[in-house]
Amino acid sequence: MYAFICLFLSLLFSCGGGAKSDTSSISWVMRENIASETEDARLLPSPHAAPGGTLRMALSRAPTGFLSYSNNFSPSNEFITQQMLLPLLERHPIDESIRGALAENWAWQNNGHTFKLTLREHLYWSDGTPLSAKDVLFTFKNIILNPASPANYLEVFSYNGIVSEIIATDDRHIEFRLPAPLTAIPYTLTYLPILPAHKISPQQASPDNLHALWNTSTLPADMPASGPFILKKYQPGVKITLQRNPYFFRTDSKGHRLPYAHELELYVVPHTSARMAMFAAGQLDYFEPSPQDFLLLQKQKNSQGKYQLFHGRPAKNHPSVTHIAFNFDAPNAAKAALFRSLDFRIAMEYLLNRLLIISQVYQGLARVQGTFITEQNQQFYDAQSDAMRRGYHPGKAKDILHQLGLIDRNGDGWRDFPDGSPLVLSIVAPTGTLTQKEADIALLYSMSLNEAGIQTILQKLDGAAMMDKIKRTDFDIVLRSIANSPDPLVRVRVIWQPGQFLYYFHPSTYDKENNKPNAQAMMDWEKLLMNLYEQANITHDEKIRKEYYAQIQRIYAEYLPVIFTVRQDNLYAAQKDIANVALTQEGLLAFSTWTAAKNIIRP
């Protein structure tokens, strides 16, 4: 009994007589008062998972900071932010359906002009400070709805120039008062982590200082978390160590508070070959191999059996499938006219050998895709548009090119314009280990165009140089993958919708001076696209929204603003002793950092 009392007191008070707090101790004392929700059983397939251990993963780039709002954005920043900070709503790790995060419920009211959310009871930051609507208002006022902020989301929260209003009726209830029934709001909220108002001043979150907020020099104590993990230590360019957040609200079916792992170590390993070697040596617990590495691991597994491999269907919404874009506003008038010709773009699709790309670039571990919405996204995917894609048929392509007057006029083996000037097209593709597949696809496509008599110049550029060319509209053809999301109105509408500021292959459809669409520069099908997006933005009937998105996908398939190539299958590898990693019957991965377990209690 004495030992029990001592244990209780040691949990209640820190040792040594000082007032220094011990977050892990406080969490056990306050356990009954912490928000709690049992995690989805699909993410907890192992009945024998137990707390403890360190989960080890790798990042392809060193973080530039620990906040995805920073204008020093990188995928590593975003991943770390997702471990530390929760949004109001979140995308389910398996199927990306919307579920509650900080908010426990939400509802549309007032014919879609009001969106209400209720925060969970007893939410705390990792330093023990209560999390409330005050934090939500702070984040929206200073960043999300701040026109001057480089990380604002005004295009989603506005309609006809009117910005939505957010209010809090008390510490737990939040209302968005919208100028129109903006149906993308729930998905948008899944991308917007809420910041701790008690640790960040308005000046720190200001547009001038946002790039420095939660940078790699910020002390871990100044970055309280609401997510499954807290930053513990950063070794620049080497490793980020996160520790479990005892205030994280999700539990397993037995009431054990998640995450299972006591620490999450993220190693900075830029090269895929190095990540593969670390995993094979048992130094990483989980990683996503390239197709080549997956096949190699598959061969080794048959003889060694030290790890688990998972081969799922393409289900990731981000990034987009690699696509081929033509510059409708090319500086050369003859090229611009050619790229605006639907017949020419059809010929270009006939010259895309997707099956060869799957075989040569992806080692057979990819599938043809003709739309920017994945087949697994049944809410919006349209099978008809995918079936409309044109297969590889160089004979048909050559016939079209001949009809367009693009023939060899001087006997040098290359096609020329009707006026006799040479037809030479540059193809821009990214370079680097992270974008090698795009570069490989560009090479195969360039070779296909050459075989059809079109002379090409392949330019492989780093990210900054490539983006500079795109911003200056100084390109003919470009191959790239971009950001994507389950709902096209979130994040990628500004890319795929004509008249938006990132509609980069026909930028003249956007009036920069007045910040609005320029309909006069649009083709008829682009005007239709713009209208369909606008209607989808304010339509709450899900069947009607799906039909709008189906029409959008069919227009892309028929008129080819861009040509979509193939999408890689989802490939994963985990050490054999990692529990709660599995494939669902639908071929989707069941995995999250807070449910993956290093410790397994054997029955």
Side-chain angles (χ1 to χ4, degrees), residues 275-481:
R275 293 197 293 274
M276 167 69 169
M278 289 181 68
F279 178 80
Q283 297 170 349
L284 295 179
D285 294 309
Y286 172 90
F287 94 122
E288 300 179 14
S290 68
Q292 294 85 349
D293 288 341
F294 186 86
L295 294 177
L296 181 58
L297 286 171
Q298 203 168 45
K299 291 179 181 179
Q300 294 177 351
K301 181 176 182 291
N302 292 335
S303 61
Q304 300 176 9
K306 294 181 178 179
Y307 42 77
Q308 312 168 73
L309 296 179
F310 305 94
H311 181 185
R313 302 169 64 184
K316 290 184 179 180
N317 286 287
H318 176 79
S320 74
V321 61
T322 300
H323 62 273
I324 301 166
F326 305 92
N327 186 359
F328 289 13
D329 290 335
N332 182 300
K335 288 183 178 180
L338 194 62
F339 299 151
R340 295 184 185 206
S341 165
L342 176 58
D343 288 336
F344 177 78
R345 297 197 302 277
I346 290 174
M348 293 299 96
E349 184 173 26
Y350 280 135
L351 291 175
L352 177 64
N353 192 339
R354 293 183 175 93
L355 297 182
L356 182 65
I357 291 171
I358 291 174
S359 172
Q360 297 294 316
V361 179
Y362 294 92
Q363 307 299 303
L365 301 177
R367 308 182 192 201
V368 174
Q369 182 159 346
T371 173
F372 51 86
I373 295 179
T374 67
E375 184 179 354
Q376 295 298 318
N377 186 353
Q378 289 300 305
Q379 184 176 7
F380 300 128
Y381 171 74
D382 177 60
Q384 180 179 329
S385 64
D386 222 351
M388 291 169 64
R389 62 178 177 263
R390 301 163 186 87
Y392 179 61
H393 204 307
K396 289 183 178 180
K398 291 176 183 178
D399 289 343
I400 294 174
L401 295 173
H402 188 81
Q403 293 168 12
L404 291 173
L406 302 173
I407 60 175
D408 180 8
R409 300 179 183 278
N410 58 10
D412 65 354
W414 298 112
R415 295 180 184 272
D416 303 299
F417 282 104
D419 66 359
S421 58
L423 172 60
V424 182
L425 302 180
S426 64
I427 300 178
V428 178
T431 188
T433 57
L434 299 178
T435 53
Q436 185 59 48
K437 294 183 181 67
E438 286 94 330
D440 292 342
I441 293 172
L443 176 60
L444 291 178
Y445 190 55
S446 175
M447 293 170 61
S448 181
L449 265 59
N450 290 345
E451 290 173 2
I454 299 177
Q455 187 175 1
T456 60
I457 300 174
L458 181 58
Q459 297 178 306
K460 296 181 182 181
L461 304 175
D462 63 29
M466 182 173 174
M467 288 307 302
D468 181 62
K469 266 189 170 292
I470 291 173
K471 288 179 181 178
R472 292 187 289 109
T473 325
D474 180 25
F475 68 93
D476 294 335
I477 302 173
V478 66
L479 272 86
R480 63 189 302 217
S481 300

Side-chain angles (χ1 to χ4, degrees), residues 151-193:
N152 76 67
Y153 272 70
L154 285 178
E155 75 277 359
V156 182
F157 287 93
S158 303
Y159 189 77
N160 286 341
I162 303 175
V163 181
S164 300
E165 179 186 9
I166 179 173
I167 65 168
T169 56
D170 57 37
D171 282 347
R172 292 182 58 214
H173 294 87
I174 299 155
E175 290 186 14
F176 289 91
R177 297 177 179 177
L178 313 173
L182 303 176
T183 54
I185 295 298
Y187 265 119
T188 303
L189 293 178
T190 69
Y191 288 95
L192 305 176

